[in-house]
Each structure stands twice: as C-alpha cells, then as structure tokens.
Amino acid sequence: MRGQLAALSIAAVVILIGVPLWWRTTETYRAWLPVSQIQELANLQLQLSADVEVVFARGTVTPEQQKKVPLTLTQDDEHVVDGDLRTTICDLMVTKYEEADLSLHTLSESPCGSLVVYVIPESSSLLPEDVDVYVGQRRTALLRIGAQTRVGRTLEQLLSHLEPRVKQVLQVMSFSHTDITAALSDRVRLSPGNKESIADSMRAFKSSPGYEITFSLLNPDPKSHRLHWDIEGAVQTYIQPLLRKLAPLANFSIDSQTLYYAMLGVNPRFDSSRSAYTLNSDSLAHVINPVEARLGSNAASSNPVLNFLLYVPDAHHSPLHINDHKKQEVPSNAFHSPRWGGIMVYNVNDFYGPEAAFPVDINIDMAKVMGVFLAQLRLLLGVQSSAPPPRFLVAPCSSAGIADWELDRLMWSRSVENIATATTTITSLAQLLDQIGNIVINDNIAQQVSSAVTSLQLAVAELESGNLRFALQYSKEAILASERAFFDPSLLHLLYFPDDQKFAIYIPLFLPMCVPILLSLLKIVSDARQRRREKHAKAD
C-alpha cells in the first residue's frame, strides 16, 4: 500500500506540476502584435491633399464678381488626389516676373506642399507675349488671364477656364499621377505604355535614410599631366546648397579621392574625320565594372553610394569624346548610370603645346565639372525635370540647385514610397511570423512593429491633411522601425528548430523516468480491478 501511494504521489507531481512547468519553460515567447491593424495596412488607399491658393490681381475680375468668388473649392481627381483652392484679391506692383517671384515669396511664404497662383490681367506686361504661366523658384506661379476670361465674361466662365490651367500648374509644381506611379514602381505593375514612369523609377535611387557621395579624379597618365582640382571648394559652392535643402529627406556624407593609372577598360576608337577618339553609347556599359574595382569598398555602410568620376584621358587618347545613340557628340561629354553615378570625360589636350614640359600642370575648371555632376545628382536623387506644357515658362535652376516646389514634389514621392515600403515590410513580417510559429517575438520587436504601424497611420493622416513635412517625417520613422523589426537578429534563433526536433531532444531524457511511473500506475489500476472482481465474487 505504501508503494502504491508513493507511485501515485510521483505521478501526481509529474502530471500536475512537472508537465505544465516543462511546457511553460519550453514554449516560444511571442509578444503581442497589432495583427488587425497590420491587416488593414494591406488594403491601404492613400489620399493626397495639396492646398492651392488662387489670388486675383486688380483688373482680372469686376467688383461685382469679387463678391461672388467662392472662398474655397475642392477638386477631386480620379487618382484619389484632391486640392483645396482658395481665392483672394490683391495688387501686383512689379515690372518683371523674376522680381515678382521674389516679391510674392517675401509677401506670403507658402507652407511646405502648398502653392499660390497669382492671376494677372491679359493686358499685363509682366510676362512675355508667348507665355501664359511663369513658374518661379518658390511655391508661387503667375497665370495670365486669357482672352476667353476678359472682364465682361461671367464669373462661371472665368472659373471654368481657369480650372484646367490651375490643374496644369498643380501637375507641374506638385505631385502628379506619373510621380506617384514612379514612386510605387517596385510594388505595382506598370503598364507597358507608361514608359516615362518606368524610366524615371529606374534612374533614381530608392528612398534611403542616408546617402554617400564620392567624387573621384581618375588620372591614367600621371607622366603626361599633373592634375589639380579644388574639390573641397567646389563641393561647398555647388553641392552643399543642394544638400542643405535636401536635409529633410536624408543625411548625406561626401568624400573624394584621386586614383592614378586608372583606366576605363574600354579602348576608344579613332575618328579620322574629327581627329579625335570616341566612345559610343553601346560601349559605355562596359566602362563601369573595371573602374568600380578601383573605387574602394563601401561594405561598412548600408547607405547607397553615388559615384561621380572625372576622367582625364591620357595623352595618347586625347581628345576623347562620347557619342550618343545617333552617333552625335554629347555636349557635356558625360554620361550617367542609373542608380550608380556618373562619369565625365575632361579633355586637356589643349595644354599640350609644342614646348610643353611633361608632366603639364593643369588646373581643372570646377565650375564646368560641377555643373555636369549637379545635373546628374538631381537625376539620381529623383528630382525630375520634365518638359513643361505649352506656353509655360519655368525659371532656370538657382544656385541652390533645386526649387522649393521641386523639393515638395520629391517629398511627396518619397513620403508615398516610404509608406509603401514600410507597409510591405510590416505585412511581410506578420505573414512570416504567422507561418512559422516557433520564431521568438520579443518585446523589442513588438515595440518596433507597433511603432511602425503607429507612424504609418500618422503619415497617412498627415498626407490626407496636406501636412507634407510631418508626413515625410512619420514615413521615415515608419520605414526605420519596420526594417529594425524585420532584420532583428533574434528572429533567427529558433528558425531551424521545429517541434519534432524539440520532442526528439526531450523524449530520451524523460522517457526512462516515465516508464516506471507508467508501469506503476498500470499495476495500481490492475490491482484495483482485481480487488473489485474479488469483492463482487464474494457478494455473489
């Protein structure tokens, strides 16, 4: 009887305490995730909103029409894009459109993401005769009222004529369907006819929290020329103004280097008709790999690297010119590689006079070089320079390298791209964790996922409200939190440790102990049945 009680006690301890304790201590810890909110993100639809203020100058509308002009007017586009138009009356006392752009910016500085369109009379001499719309460097535009809307027409006719022109201004200075499609090119299927969006999306680098810019001077023939370039001063003069304006988008770091005996790896052809060597466009693809091997490794950084190479040909292959697909000489004598960088060929054969002493000291014209690199940098960062509509005049690039409205367009695109990237990352992580149940989800990962979801919701709300700067900031926070959660090293600890291996490890440990306990329980049950049968037999 004492042995049976001991067996029952041991069995009770094992079943009631040992098994739950073992199960609890060996189960995979999985912190709570906002699964329902993540599932809602999978069906997310963005609604972008931009504020456009239309200001009528004196002489464009009559006093009676001023009283009937609506204060606000909302226009919805088919691509789930809306704009809020507000109207005002003012006086313009300037004589030139460049001065008007500066004066209007000083008068009323528009917030990030918004536009102000100033409507001027048809008789105004502020714009050239062949120009109806002037787009300046700020967030303002001048729109000349046409003959169809001269004073005497009804207010409805005036507004109906201005509406398509204002929409054109909005597409030039703010986001458009093409920009949004290009930003989502990696996540949506583009139609074959939308070649412009495909080309734009493949040319520029994708959104990143930081970029590294490297300027390299390639001197393949140090015996012929000794090159001097003021890269530090050129960066401060031409590149830093642009990077300061792009600071809300990403962090930038710049370095430079000089490489000697660095060859392009492609033998140029001699063109006897021009007494010069040429590189055709079909051979430019073979230039990158040999040069890239000499540029150094950037494996320590996770940020994309933008390479800008200045190549000075050796004396035996000078002058060297780049030809396009039509066999015509490229004016800039440079080319760029999508999502990589650009290369410019700088000829110095004019310095090789009959009495020149080698090596010849050559000071490189940095204004000429940085003008080319600045244009390539704009393309690689996604600053689009599409052709304006007819009768539009767009101000040339300023010393800052980018207009305020161009920065806004880039911020719109990057906000949408960041939201799409973070959404894809979070939904993919949720699907992975749902399919593989033995991956540990610690509190840090859960916190990052919750932070990413919250930032995404805030970014979407700010986009709908037209608060571009806050939307961009929240979208950056969302993509950083989502990537930290997705690439957390703790997610790999139990990835290759399935349940069958767990039981294969613990069964050899617990089976020798469980066999005698199980046999004792079977013996107790057997004895109890035997006593019950004997008791019934005596009763009969």
Side-chain angles (χ1 to χ4, degrees), residues 46-50 79-83 175 180 412 416 463-464 466:
L46 293 178
Q47 183 178 7
L48 309 184
S49 175
H79 307 296
V80 200
V81 173
D82 66 4
F175 57 84
I180 303 305
W412 284 114
V416 173
L463 279 181
E464 293 179 357

Side-chain angles (χ1 to χ4, degrees), residues 99-340:
E99 298 176 1
D101 181 38
L102 179 59
S103 300
L104 295 174
H105 171 72
T106 307
L107 176 66
S108 175
E109 185 175 355
S110 304
C112 182
S114 64
L115 300 176
V116 180
V117 179
Y118 292 89
V119 181
I120 60 177
E122 179 189 7
S123 59
S124 174
S125 60
L126 193 60
L127 297 180
E129 294 182 359
D130 58 342
V131 174
D132 289 339
V133 178
Y134 172 73
V135 177
Q137 290 292 324
R138 281 81 184 179
R139 299 180 177 92
T140 58
L142 296 177
L143 172 60
R144 189 207 305 271
I145 200 170
Q148 301 88 342
T149 57
R150 63 166 58 97
V151 176
R153 298 280 181 170
T154 64
L155 179 63
E156 290 74 13
Q157 291 175 330
L158 183 148
L159 295 179
S160 63
H161 176 73
L162 285 180
E163 180 180 336
R165 302 297 284 171
V166 173
K167 282 189 175 181
Q168 283 185 317
V169 175
L170 181 64
Q171 291 179 353
V172 171
M173 302 182 66
S174 186
F175 57 84
S176 64
H177 180 64
T178 302
D179 299 327
I180 303 305
T181 304
L184 300 175
S185 60
D186 289 350
R187 293 159 187 85
V188 297
R189 181 176 298 178
L190 298 179
S191 60
N194 201 350
K195 296 182 180 179
E196 182 180 356
S197 296
I198 297 176
D200 292 341
S201 63
M202 294 301 295
R203 179 186 298 117
F205 278 88
K206 306 310 292 182
S207 179
S208 174
Y211 298 92
E212 296 187 9
I213 303 176
T214 301
F215 294 97
S216 302
L217 175 61
L218 275 60
N219 186 357
D221 190 11
K223 297 180 180 179
S224 299
H225 39 242
R226 187 184 295 113
L227 304 177
H228 306 279
W229 67 331
D230 183 17
I231 185 62
E232 183 176 357
V235 166
Q236 292 295 329
T237 303
Y238 300 99
I239 303 299
Q240 285 295 349
L242 172 62
L243 300 186
R244 280 193 290 268
K245 296 198 68 172
L246 294 176
L249 292 170
N251 298 320
F252 295 89
S253 62
I254 302 177
D255 55 25
S256 62
Q257 60 182 343
T258 301
L259 301 177
Y260 297 96
Y261 300 102
M263 307 296 294
L264 291 181
V266 177
N267 293 324
R269 297 180 180 180
F270 183 74
D271 187 352
S272 57
S273 61
R274 291 186 292 177
S275 299
Y277 290 87
T278 60
L279 279 176
N280 295 324
S281 58
D282 54 358
S283 63
L284 297 179
H286 306 286
V287 173
I288 302 298
N289 289 340
V291 174
E292 192 173 22
R294 295 287 307 275
L295 296 181
S297 175
N298 297 94
S301 175
S302 59
N303 295 328
V305 180
L306 287 71
N307 296 284
F308 295 97
L309 279 61
L310 181 62
Y311 180 76
V312 180
D314 57 272
H316 301 288
H317 296 93
S318 294
L320 176 62
H321 299 288
I322 298 177
N323 293 338
D324 57 16
H325 295 281
K326 299 180 181 180
K327 306 299 181 182
Q328 300 295 324
E329 184 176 323
V330 177
S332 63
N333 210 26
F335 70 97
H336 80 278
S337 178
R339 299 188 184 183
W340 185 84

Side-chain angles (χ1 to χ4, degrees), residues 492-513:
L492 301 177
H493 284 179
L494 299 181
L495 186 58
Y496 301 103
F497 191 55
D499 291 335
D500 55 352
Q501 293 188 16
K502 180 171 66 176
F503 287 105
I505 291 174
Y506 287 109
I507 285 178
L509 297 177
F510 293 111
L511 187 60
M513 178 188 68

Side-chain angles (χ1 to χ4, degrees), residues 472-483:
L472 177 63
Q473 182 61 33
Y474 285 130
S475 69
K476 291 168 60 177
E477 295 175 0
I479 196 172
L480 290 175
S482 63
E483 290 184 351

Side-chain angles (χ1 to χ4, degrees), residues 428-441:
S428 300
L429 178 60
Q431 294 174 359
L432 174 67
L433 297 178
D434 181 64
Q435 294 174 1
I436 306 178
N438 61 337
I439 295 182
V440 174
I441 306 177

Side-chain angles (χ1 to χ4, degrees), residues 518-535:
L518 181 61
L519 293 177
S520 300
L521 293 177
L522 293 175
K523 182 66 170 60
I524 293 173
V525 173
S526 177
D527 292 343
R529 288 179 179 179
Q530 182 64 29
R531 287 194 298 270
R532 189 178 299 110
R533 285 194 295 267
E534 292 176 356
K535 184 177 181 180

